[in-house]
Amino acid sequence: MDKINNLVEFTKVSKKLGNKQVLNDINLTVASGEVVGIVGPNGCGKTTLLRLVTGLIYPDRGEVRVSGRAVRLGLIGELPASVGALIESPAFLPQLSGLKNLTILADIQQKINEQAVREAIKRVGLDPDNRKPVKSYSLGMRQRLGIAQAIMEKPNILLFDEPTNGLDQEGKILFSGIMKEQVEQGAAVMMVSHNKEEINRYCDRVFMIQNGTLHPVREQRDKSWLIITNNLSDLEHIYQQGLLLQITERVDGYPAGICKGKWKNRDEMMSFLTEIGVKTVDVREVENDYI
Amino acid sequence: MALVSCVCDHFSFVIFFSRRNGIQSLNVLDYIINALTQQFNCMVMLPSIFLILVADLILSDLNNGYAGLILTRARSRLSWLLAKICVLFVCAFLFTMICTVIYLISGLLSGLPLDFTWSSHSLFTEETSPSFVLIMIECLYIFGLTAYGTFLLMVSLILRNTVFTWGTGAFMNILSYVAWLKMREIEKWFPTSQMMFLSQYPNKLIVNTPGFTTHWSLTYHFLLFTFSVLLGLLLFRRINLTRSI
Ligand SMILES: Nc1ncnc2c1ncn2[C@@H]1O[C@H](COP(=O)(O)OP(=O)(O)OP(=O)(O)O)[C@@H](O)[C@H]1O
Ligand SMILES: [Mg+2]
């Protein structure tokens, strides 16, 4: 069962491009419903890692398994199925409209009809009846079309390389809705971003690539806790511990704040608060705000 | 569309080179056949134009990232490669047809009668009908351009550079031409010579290459094509499908 749950599995993967050893001995699994973030400096191999999942490149050593099947050249150069990817800036056929572009792509697998393509385009806030060619699209519009392209066939695995590149505020909100929806539907998501805030918001686990190897940055998702106290100085005290704390509206007249951290459950949170000498009225786990 | 506009760009060029020295065309059909078997036009000009159109068929997709969109959906690399070869065949077909139509129009414009009688039989055997000759030429063009184009697509996978690929093609075209001019006996081994119906036995050129028949050419195309597809497959299943450097 465990195997099937892990939609993406890297085992000791190494990859050389040109004469640079880009990735070295990478081990990583991404489970269904999980978002894994990849960070690192320019040119460290983040995009290369995503490409290995699509089968556009094959590993030199080690194995990449996608949906339980190894991605390897085989006789005819097999490619994994059910992967939706937005890798670097997407290139569409410039003289065709967005809808036409996506229907051409959808025709390859014939999994979805035009109606579904239209819905995907609407989902990213574009107009499917816009007849203008893609070459007249702005950067953000192209990016939105790229996201629509990645999600339209409802793949099990999603690869996003800087997905919010060029998106405006509305686009980012739409994107976070899409992420939430995809995770709820059980997609495994790998996301590359240079935006710390974004990585923190979406990713359950974060890894950094350094000199070709993968280092965990954060092994689990920070949970958000609503802390309700008797007076503001208690909240202040939490803040002074160097924790991320955001004062919110009063709850039932008591001062309250949201704190993010690694505590696994309420008991752990409570004992931490007692340790630092904060008296609370109530502590509740809250949804990570997605916006 | 791009194909059509490109072909139109080269329109005037083609007409310029299509006039065979010394032979007077009496009607449009003659004119077309003459143009399509004019040695420089047939062995250098038209194949080179065709190569400009198709040399980056695979590389452009790899370089601008469109290949990624396709390949995340394709079942295997092979199916993508085969799809590209089909596109190449369609291009070869359209290219040949468009060339023919261009010659048809330019022939009509220069006032030649639309007539199906035979006036070039000094060059071809009398018993073959002109329409048969034309069909043979068209077939040689279509199969020739497909096979040769496939071969050069594979070269492009090795070189990873459109300009060098086209250069390789142009160089081979010129070799064919030089062989036609100077070393007629080895002509039958060059790729674009195969499209030169006129020099194939039993057509009446003063110098004929022994064993160089239409059948030979079709076999040559077939083998070149098969070889290219196999080579392509071997390469294509292994290479990194990323931007070339
Ligand atoms: N086709 C290629 N041939 C040779 N080297 C390549 C090729 N593609 C990428 N590289 C090299 O591999 C390294 C990793 O590239 P990659 O695109 O994965 O970086 P990245 O982490 O995505 O960077 P960025 O943050 O800029 O997107 C780079 O040093 C690059 O020079
Ligand atoms: Mg990158």
Side-chain angles (χ1 to χ4, degrees):
Chain A
M1 269 333 272
D2 201 44
K3 268 243 146 68
I4 294 164
N5 199 27
N6 279 336
L7 290 178
V8 181
E9 260 183 295
F10 286 79
T11 327
K12 297 192 168 171
V13 171
S14 299
K15 182 71 198 175
K16 206 171 174 176
L17 281 178
N19 40 25
K20 188 181 174 199
Q21 188 69 42
V22 181
L23 296 174
N24 208 347
D25 226 12
I26 301 280
N27 291 299
L28 174 69
T29 58
V30 188
S32 162
E34 188 182 33
V35 184
V36 167
I38 311 287
V39 297
N42 291 138
C44 68
K46 305 180 294 297
T47 304
T48 307
L49 192 71
L50 298 192
R51 285 218 175 93
L52 280 165
V53 181
T54 62
L56 254 61
I57 55 179
Y58 295 119
D60 296 336
R61 264 174 292 127
E63 190 180 58
V64 181
R65 295 183 82 85
V66 175
S67 309
R69 289 192 56 186
V71 183
R72 60 167 91 100
L73 36 141
L75 197 60
I76 53 172
E78 285 166 40
L79 298 168
S82 199
V83 175
L86 171 61
I87 294 184
E88 296 192 331
S89 42
F92 294 99
L93 300 176
Q95 60 284 52
L96 300 180
S97 73
L99 177 66
K100 188 78 198 147
N101 258 296
L102 295 204
T103 37
I104 287 176
L105 291 175
D107 277 346
I108 298 175
Q109 289 195 322
Q110 308 209 322
K111 259 194 195 162
I112 54 170
N113 55 15
E114 195 188 307
Q115 196 49 42
V117 175
R118 283 172 174 276
E119 264 152 38
I121 295 179
K122 278 191 206 136
R123 189 75 192 78
V124 296
L126 294 177
D127 175 14
D129 292 312
N130 183 350
R131 301 190 141 265
K132 282 198 189 144
V134 171
K135 67 177 172 217
S136 72
Y137 277 26
S138 68
L139 176 68
M141 286 167 83
R142 264 173 229 231
Q143 194 71 9
R144 286 178 185 217
L145 197 62
I147 296 172
Q149 164 276 131
I151 60 167
M152 67 179 179
E153 280 149 328
K154 305 204 167 37
N156 296 330
I157 296 153
L158 277 170
L159 309 172
F160 284 129
D161 197 346
E162 316 226 9
T164 55
N165 197 2
L167 290 189
D168 56 10
Q169 201 51 43
E170 188 218 348
K172 284 181 181 158
I173 293 171
L174 280 172
F175 178 72
S176 68
I178 289 170
M179 281 293 276
K180 201 171 172 183
E181 189 180 281
Q182 293 293 327
V183 169
E184 273 162 14
Q185 286 167 8
V189 186
M190 285 176 80
M191 179 163 151
V192 168
S193 176
H194 290 292
N195 186 332
K196 249 203 164 83
E197 187 263 337
E198 217 168 80
I199 286 278
N200 284 334
R201 186 191 304 161
Y202 299 120
C203 300
D204 300 313
R205 290 185 293 145
V206 182
F207 293 88
M208 176 160 202
I209 302 181
Q210 236 166 10
N211 301 324
T213 51
L214 207 57
H215 302 277
V217 175
R218 185 154 58 67
E219 289 281 15
Q220 72 190 58
R221 187 183 195 89
D222 285 0
K223 287 181 178 166
S224 297
W225 304 89
L226 180 69
I227 302 167
I228 305 165
T229 54
N230 275 316
N231 50 50
L232 273 171
S233 68
D234 274 335
L235 286 179
E236 231 166 59
H237 189 63
I238 298 173
Y239 185 74
Q240 279 159 5
Q241 303 293 314
L243 295 166
L244 275 173
L245 181 81
Q246 192 188 358
I247 308 289
T248 60
E249 282 174 15
R250 284 176 174 251
V251 179
D252 304 330
Y254 293 109
I258 288 178
C259 184
K260 272 192 173 182
K262 292 188 170 58
W263 305 281
K264 283 199 187 72
N265 49 40
R266 190 165 181 272
D267 289 347
E268 238 176 64
M269 182 77 208
M270 291 299 284
S271 65
F272 169 77
L273 289 174
T274 323
E275 214 172 277
I276 61 168
V278 172
K279 288 204 179 69
T280 54
V281 175
D282 195 8
V283 173
R284 299 175 200 156
E285 191 186 336
V286 290
E287 275 265 324
N288 280 306
D289 51 334
Y290 265 93
I291 290 168
Chain B
M1 282 318 281
L3 185 83
V4 176
S5 64
C6 265
V7 168
C8 291
D9 282 349
H10 296 287
F11 180 75
S12 48
F13 246 130
V14 175
I15 293 173
F16 177 76
F17 281 105
S18 63
R19 294 173 188 272
R20 183 197 296 280
N21 319 335
I23 292 173
Q24 192 62 45
S25 304
L26 293 183
N27 62 39
V28 173
L29 190 68
D30 248 7
Y31 179 78
I32 297 173
I33 291 177
N34 279 339
L36 290 179
T37 54
Q38 200 278 343
Q39 55 275 20
F40 186 74
N41 195 29
C42 167
M43 294 200 286
V44 182
M45 202 60 215
L46 293 181
S48 299
I49 294 171
F50 181 72
L51 289 181
I52 292 177
L53 300 179
V54 300
D56 65 344
L57 196 61
I58 287 181
L59 289 186
S60 68
D61 273 10
L62 290 184
N63 288 342
N64 65 22
Y66 193 63
L69 296 188
I70 302 283
L71 284 165
T72 49
R73 296 178 167 80
R75 237 174 289 131
S76 68
R77 292 179 173 203
L78 174 67
S79 51
W80 190 58
L81 189 68
L82 292 182
K84 283 286 177 196
I85 292 172
C86 291
V87 170
L88 190 71
F89 177 76
V90 173
C91 283
F93 180 79
L94 287 178
F95 183 80
T96 311
M97 289 305 140
I98 289 170
C99 284
T100 313
V101 169
I102 287 175
Y103 290 130
L104 180 72
I105 293 170
S106 64
L108 287 175
L109 285 182
S110 50
L112 294 170
L114 187 61
D115 190 358
F116 280 82
T117 52
W118 197 215
S119 59
S120 287
H121 37 109
S122 55
L123 287 170
F124 301 93
T125 32
E126 288 85 352
E127 49 271 27
T128 41
S129 72
S131 25
F132 179 74
V133 169
L134 186 60
I135 289 170
M136 282 317 296
I137 294 173
E138 306 266 293
C139 285
L140 282 177
Y141 265 67
I142 294 169
F143 293 130
L145 290 176
T146 309
Y148 188 44
T150 312
F151 176 71
L152 279 157
L153 280 190
M154 303 319 143
V155 172
S156 80
L157 283 180
I158 299 171
L159 296 178
R160 290 293 194 116
N161 183 311
T162 315
V163 178
F164 290 168
T165 306
W166 187 79
T168 312
F171 179 68
M172 283 167 67
N173 298 348
I174 291 168
L175 277 189
S176 295
Y177 187 57
V178 170
W180 194 86
L181 291 178
K182 301 272 183 237
M183 294 169 284
R184 204 62 74 78
E185 50 305 337
I186 59 166
E187 186 202 352
K188 65 174 178 178
W189 296 104
F190 288 94
T192 53
S193 315
Q194 313 300 325
M195 287 156 54
M196 187 65 187
F197 182 66
L198 188 62
S199 71
Q200 289 167 3
Y201 184 81
N203 297 319
K204 296 173 180 171
L205 269 191
I206 305 130
V207 196
N208 251 328
T209 319
F212 190 24
T213 60
T214 308
H215 185 253
W216 161 278
S217 282
L218 291 176
T219 316
Y220 184 100
H221 288 154
F222 178 74
L223 291 179
L224 181 66
F225 180 74
T226 316
F227 167 76
S228 304
V229 173
L230 289 179
L231 177 74
L233 185 54
L234 278 180
L235 283 173
F236 204 63
R237 54 190 268 282
R238 296 191 55 243
I239 57 168
N240 298 322
L241 297 180
T242 57
R243 190 161 295 143
S244 32
I245 29 161

